[in-house]
Amino acid sequence: MSGDELGSSPLPQGWKCYMSPQGRRYYVNTLTNETTWERPSSTPGTPKSPLSQKNSVPAVNGYHTTGSPIHQLDQPHVSLRKGSSDQQSPGSISPTRKQNKETTITINCVTFPLPMTMPEQQLLKPNEWSYCDYFWADKKDPQGNASVSGFEVLLQKQLKGKQMQKEMAEFIRERIKIEEEYAKNLSKLSQIPLAAQEEGTLGEAWAQLKKSLADEAEVHLKFSSKLQSEVEKPLLTFRDNFKKDMKKFDHHISDLRKQLANRYAAVEKARKALAERQKDLEMKTQQLEIKLSNKTEEDIKKARRKSTQAGDDLMRCVDLYNQAQSKWFEEMVTTSLELERLEVERIEMIRQHLCQYTTLRHETDMFNQSTVEPVDQLLQKVDPAKDREQWVTEHNTGEIRPIDLEI
């Protein structure tokens, strides 16, 4: 298109002349974004012939969009999302499909800016790898059969975390069983009367060693009991309402996505209606210009009013769509941050209770050591000479030795 003012007389202030891809001139008021096929007079007024979508010129309701649309996701660091009521210019809602293809892309009813049409978006929480910054788009499931929403990915992460927490509790339960069985076997072993007749200082050490097994069994029973109350139970009972809460989040966001899909369908329907009205208006305008029809100026005005109404309808549908997307955006941010907080809380809770496990384990080792300390002390006192003296004293049969037989 050419920006030169074509024609013998100068255009009114603010107006410029452009050439459509079909080689037809149209005029744009750079102050108001108004467009018209007819050359404006010295006094700018309401355009008589709004541009048609057929000419590939972004126009709706007689307005021309000269810049990229200001999409509500463009500046999340200023506001979570700008409401559609803030957008007064029709040019900011990308009314025609062609402009949407040039500046935005809609995937599963969610509109995103094309990377080459806008500056890089600033993250809501830079350098934090926050959930609220990285799960806006949908993705294929592992089998590639269907799309999974970014929020569903976050929910699956939460559910997997809950499952991992449950499996950790099951692991601790197995550890408790081992401790209980070990304690039972130690206690049973300590009561077996093997080598019970050992005497002396060695016998005392042996008896203490057997007693230490009973003491150690008690230590392990206490360890298993504390594992159950201080580690396993908290892991099992943490967030009893977890699944209910996750289902609530899921239903809330899913409902907003459904509403967004319905609003987008309404936009597409209105867009199609506008294209049809503009096509009808252009056809009647061309027929009038080349004298192929006896249509009066009133017929043109009627077609223009219908086109304008279709443009208004499209703007209203786009506004409702943007409101729905704004609500979904805000709830996505809020809910994803809540899921992020819950995940941090879960990890911290598990870390604390695993630390408690290691603490109890160290205590058990210390108590076990205390059960064998008396054994060590008695083993240090084992004296074979003393044992022999005691045994001989108790069991000697006489100290007079035999002598040789005389003849």
Side-chain angles (χ1 to χ4, degrees):
M1 292 188 298
S2 170
D4 298 334
E5 296 183 357
L6 303 177
S8 58
S9 61
L11 291 170
Q13 183 178 2
W15 286 91
K16 288 190 176 182
C17 179
Y18 292 84
M19 191 74 69
S20 73
Q22 288 75 24
R24 187 177 178 189
R25 298 175 189 174
Y26 69 96
Y27 302 88
V28 178
N29 188 317
T30 59
L31 302 178
T32 65
N33 280 338
E34 284 184 281
T35 61
T36 178
W37 292 116
E38 300 178 10
R39 183 179 179 84
S41 62
S42 59
T43 302
T46 302
K48 296 181 179 180
S49 300
L51 297 183
S52 166
Q53 185 178 2
K54 180 179 179 180
N55 289 284
S56 303
V57 178
V60 64
N61 237 5
Y63 286 89
H64 172 76
T65 58
T66 57
S68 298
I70 304 173
H71 194 274
Q72 292 164 325
L73 277 174
D74 288 0
Q75 296 179 328
H77 59 288
V78 176
S79 171
L80 285 184
R81 187 155 178 114
K82 291 184 179 179
S84 57
S85 60
D86 296 337
Q87 299 181 356
Q88 302 298 327
S89 171
S92 66
I93 58 174
S94 302
T96 65
R97 181 179 300 275
K98 181 171 180 63
Q99 187 180 13
N100 274 342
K101 287 185 177 180
E102 291 176 348
T103 61
T104 64
I105 182 171
T106 301
I107 304 174
N108 292 340
C109 303
V110 180
T111 304
F112 300 96
L114 289 174
M116 301 303 294
T117 63
M118 58 163 289
E120 183 179 357
Q121 294 177 343
Q122 181 175 335
L123 298 176
L124 294 174
K125 300 182 72 176
N127 304 319
E128 294 188 29
W129 292 96
S130 175
Y131 289 171
C132 69
D133 279 317
Y134 297 98
F135 293 90
W136 292 107
D138 298 343
K139 63 180 294 186
K140 292 288 186 180
D141 68 2
Q143 289 74 33
N145 298 324
S147 293
V148 178
S149 70
F151 187 75
E152 182 67 21
V153 173
L154 291 177
L155 279 183
Q156 291 300 324
K157 166 68 172 171
Q158 294 289 316
L159 294 174
K160 180 180 178 181
K162 182 65 175 179
Q163 180 62 28
M164 295 302 98
Q165 176 183 321
K166 180 181 177 181
E167 292 181 10
M168 289 180 186
E170 292 174 356
F171 181 90
I172 298 299
R173 176 73 259 174
E174 293 301 315
R175 183 71 172 89
I176 291 172
K177 289 180 181 179
I178 291 174
E179 288 297 317
E180 291 174 342
E181 187 66 22
Y182 184 54
K184 178 181 177 180
N185 290 334
L186 283 178
S187 179
K188 182 178 179 180
L189 180 61
S190 70
Q191 298 173 12
I192 295 179
L194 293 175
Q197 297 181 7
E198 180 62 54
E199 301 173 334
T201 55
L202 180 59
E204 293 176 4
W206 174 250
Q208 185 60 45
L209 186 147
K210 292 175 64 179
K211 181 178 180 302
S212 73
L213 295 184
D215 295 339
E216 186 179 353
E218 186 65 24
V219 168
H220 284 278
L221 279 178
K222 290 181 179 180
F223 176 47
S224 66
S225 177
K226 287 187 175 182
L227 279 182
Q228 194 277 330
S229 62
E230 299 179 20
V231 181
E232 180 199 19
K233 186 176 179 180
L235 289 176
L236 286 174
T237 59
F238 182 66
R239 291 196 200 134
D240 287 335
N241 296 326
F242 175 80
K243 288 188 176 180
K244 182 178 179 181
D245 292 339
M246 292 301 105
K247 187 172 292 186
K248 181 179 178 181
F249 288 144
D250 188 18
H251 287 170
H252 182 53
I253 298 298
S254 296
D255 288 344
L256 291 176
R257 277 297 291 267
K258 290 177 182 177
Q259 184 183 48
L260 190 61
N262 292 336
R263 295 286 171 81
Y264 183 74
V267 169
E268 290 299 289
K269 183 178 179 180
R271 196 191 307 279
K272 182 178 179 181
L274 174 62
E276 292 174 352
R277 292 298 183 186
Q278 289 183 328
K279 181 178 180 180
D280 180 61
L281 173 60
E282 182 182 16
M283 181 181 67
K284 290 180 179 179
T285 302
Q286 290 176 348
Q287 287 175 348
L288 182 63
E289 289 177 351
I290 62 177
K291 311 292 186 184
L292 291 180
S293 172
N294 295 324
K295 297 293 184 180
T296 65
E297 182 69 19
E298 187 63 30
D299 295 325
I300 301 298
K301 290 181 179 179
K302 183 178 178 180
R304 184 177 297 121
R305 282 196 301 270
K306 290 182 178 181
S307 177
T308 299
Q309 182 60 46
D312 289 340
D313 290 342
L314 176 59
M315 290 174 61
R316 179 180 58 81
C317 290
V318 169
D319 186 57
L320 291 174
Y321 168 83
N322 286 338
Q323 290 180 34
Q325 186 163 259
S326 176
K327 180 63 176 176
W328 172 74
F329 179 93
E330 292 170 2
E331 291 301 316
M332 273 287 291
V333 171
T334 301
T335 307
S336 62
L337 288 177
E338 176 63 12
L339 295 182
E340 184 177 304
R341 184 191 68 79
L342 292 175
E343 178 67 3
V344 171
E345 185 179 70
R346 181 190 75 88
I347 292 174
E348 181 59 24
M349 181 278 298
I350 293 177
R351 187 193 70 80
Q352 290 178 359
H353 287 89
L354 293 184
C355 285
Q356 181 63 12
Y357 168 84
T358 60
T359 298
L360 292 174
R361 186 69 180 82
H362 290 316
E363 289 179 354
T364 300
D365 289 342
M366 181 180 66
F367 292 145
N368 281 336
Q369 182 61 34
S370 68
T371 64
V372 298
E373 286 177 357
V375 180
D376 287 334
Q377 293 173 1
L378 289 177
L379 287 174
Q380 294 296 325
K381 295 179 181 179
V382 169
D383 186 346
K386 183 177 180 180
D387 288 352
R388 185 172 60 253
E389 176 186 353
Q390 180 179 349
W391 186 84
V392 169
T393 301
E394 294 178 1
H395 299 91
N396 74 84
T397 58
E399 58 186 64
I400 299 177
R401 298 181 296 278
I403 61 175
D404 292 341
L405 178 65
E406 296 181 355
I407 298 178

